[in-house]
Amino acid sequence: MESGVEELMPRLLPVGDCDLAEDFDPTVPPRTPQEYLKRVQIEAARCPDVVVAQIDPRKLKKKQTVNISLSGCQPAPEGYCPTLKWQQQQVANFSAVRQSLNKHRNHWRSQHLDSNVTMPKSEDEEGWKKFCLGERVYSETDALSDNENLGIDYMKVGFPPLLSIVSRMNQATVTSVLEYLISWFGEKKFTPELGRWLYALLACLEKPLLPEAHSLIRQLARRCSEVRVLEDSKNEEQISALNLIICLVSRYFDQRDLADEPS
């Protein structure tokens, strides 16, 4: 067994036989370099040949499959491709929003939230979807009750991404909520509530991007391009919102292969 170990793990430094005292005790801190090297040899010999990891299966409940697409965005419908000037202006506006947010983050974080605002925990995916989109969008119901016409029920319509709310979100929460909403968007239609939150979360996303965030925003841009092509009614306001998200991902966050290129 020892010869096999020597073949697979050759010594980086030659270690010959050490003349150690008869009272050498490997359990006490070494006093000389020879004792240290001997202790390392003894500990290595005691390591088991095979180690089995103890994995908690509850931690594997979430999606384990990662689909990676190398394709770019689908071209905008004819007549709806944004001009380069428009894209550059949106990037400039977005940059100004980010600078203002960073400058005043501590101020907004110190502001008291209304009594009806309870932010979900970072890992509460369903809670965040309801918080951002509202129960009406979440449950896909359009009917309004008489009571709802008397005032805004944010539990029904979703909380807007107020500065006092997003300023309290650390980067882990920003990335998590972005993931939740992009996952939702992958199977659902685009809504104004979704658009507002996607813009706000992108504004809170710090550069340089972490690999997870990098993958998420590319996924978002591709999904926006898919919905843009499938938009039958060619709602100009909605297409403009989709164009904006694609523009920010591609031109502000430097994913240039996803950018709309005016002909």
Side-chain angles (χ1 to χ4, degrees):
M1 176 61 194
E2 290 184 0
S3 62
V5 173
E6 291 292 342
E7 292 174 3
L8 293 174
M9 302 174 62
R11 295 176 179 177
L12 296 179
L13 295 173
V15 181
D17 294 332
C18 302
D19 294 329
L20 300 175
E22 293 183 0
D23 61 347
F24 170 67
D25 184 355
T27 62
V28 301
R31 294 166 295 180
T32 67
Q34 290 78 11
E35 288 185 0
Y36 170 77
L37 293 174
K38 188 62 178 178
R39 181 173 177 177
V40 170
Q41 290 176 332
I42 294 173
E43 291 178 352
R46 291 175 179 172
C47 292
D49 296 336
V50 178
V51 177
V52 179
Q54 300 298 321
I55 300 176
D56 185 354
R58 293 173 299 178
K59 295 182 178 180
L60 302 177
K61 291 191 298 181
K62 301 195 76 175
K63 298 174 286 185
Q64 296 294 306
T65 303
V66 177
N67 296 319
I68 300 177
S69 173
L70 299 178
S71 61
C73 288
Q74 297 187 32
E78 185 176 357
Y80 290 90
C81 182
T83 65
L84 181 58
K85 182 178 180 180
W86 181 88
Q87 295 182 66
Q88 292 171 338
Q89 184 61 54
Q90 301 312 311
V91 169
N93 294 344
F94 182 68
S95 179
V97 169
R98 285 172 59 90
Q99 291 177 16
S100 177
L101 177 60
N102 289 331
K103 182 178 180 180
H104 301 291
R105 185 183 300 275
N106 290 335
H107 166 75
W108 288 110
R109 185 184 294 154
S110 66
Q111 301 303 301
H112 293 291
L113 295 176
D114 291 341
S115 59
N116 65 331
V117 180
T118 302
M119 296 173 62
K121 294 182 179 180
S122 179
E123 65 275 11
D124 185 1
E125 180 172 353
E126 302 306 310
W128 274 109
K129 289 176 182 176
K130 292 179 181 179
F131 184 88
C132 299
L133 305 176
E135 293 179 356
R136 187 183 306 143
V137 172
Y138 181 83
S139 304
E140 298 183 297
T141 58
D142 296 324
L144 287 170
S145 67
D146 292 337
N147 291 335
E148 289 180 31
N149 287 320
L150 299 178
I152 298 177
D153 184 344
Y154 286 111
M155 296 303 295
K156 295 291 184 182
V157 301
F159 290 91
L162 302 173
L163 290 173
S164 56
I165 292 177
V166 298
S167 294
R168 283 175 162 79
M169 300 168 66
N170 58 30
Q171 282 300 289
T173 301
V174 169
T175 303
S176 294
V177 177
L178 191 60
E179 180 181 6
Y180 302 152
L181 296 183
I182 292 173
S183 174
W184 166 273
F185 186 31
E187 300 176 355
K188 306 293 183 178
K189 62 184 180 180
F190 185 84
T191 66
E193 295 85 357
L194 177 63
R196 285 192 290 268
W197 268 99
L198 291 175
Y199 186 94
L201 293 171
L202 290 177
C204 294
L205 207 56
E206 293 180 357
K207 296 175 72 175
L209 295 176
L210 295 175
E212 182 181 2
H214 178 272
S215 175
L216 282 172
I217 66 171
R218 289 182 64 84
Q219 180 183 344
L220 172 61
R222 292 193 190 97
R223 177 56 180 164
C224 286
S225 72
E226 293 171 359
V227 173
R228 183 175 62 178
V229 171
L230 297 174
E231 179 61 38
D232 294 330
S233 62
K234 294 296 181 288
N235 182 315
E236 290 192 14
E237 184 175 345
Q238 177 160 310
I239 289 182
S240 179
L242 297 169
N243 284 349
L244 174 59
I245 294 175
I246 296 171
C247 168
L248 298 180
V249 170
S250 61
R251 298 194 180 275
Y252 184 85
F253 291 102
D254 301 317
Q255 308 303 307
R256 296 305 175 96
D257 60 307
L258 303 180
D260 285 315
E261 298 294 349
S263 54

